[in-house]
Amino acid sequence: MPIDFEVGGVYLPPIAQALLLALPIFMALGWSLRRLGVLRFVWHEALFEGALYVCVCAVVILVMGASSP
């Protein structure tokens, strides 16, 4: 189970850690998809980006769970 962090007196549960860790990954992935022109084929860009962020968060949570002893 991932450990809990305390940053400046603020408690960060594992889900918040995963959400914060997924944000730069999502931003880099979104930037690369824009550069490659993949988002031109998407019907609703905001829905696609929301779903992409959820998928990235899920992968980060799975990796965090698999790496813990």
Side-chain angles (χ1 to χ4, degrees):
M1 181 168 174
I3 59 172
D4 302 329
F5 284 117
E6 182 180 348
V7 178
V10 177
Y11 167 74
L12 285 175
I15 187 71
Q17 297 169 25
L19 293 175
L20 289 175
L21 183 62
L23 191 59
I25 298 169
F26 163 73
M27 291 175 73
L29 191 58
W31 179 81
S32 63
L33 289 176
R34 263 195 194 83
R35 290 285 286 171
L36 293 173
V38 174
L39 292 182
R40 287 182 295 157
F41 302 108
V42 173
W43 171 69
H44 199 290
E45 189 174 333
L47 286 176
F48 178 79
E49 288 181 347
L52 183 63
Y53 183 66
V54 168
C55 291
V56 170
C57 287
V59 169
V60 168
I61 289 170
L62 287 173
V63 169
M64 285 175 64
S67 66
S68 64

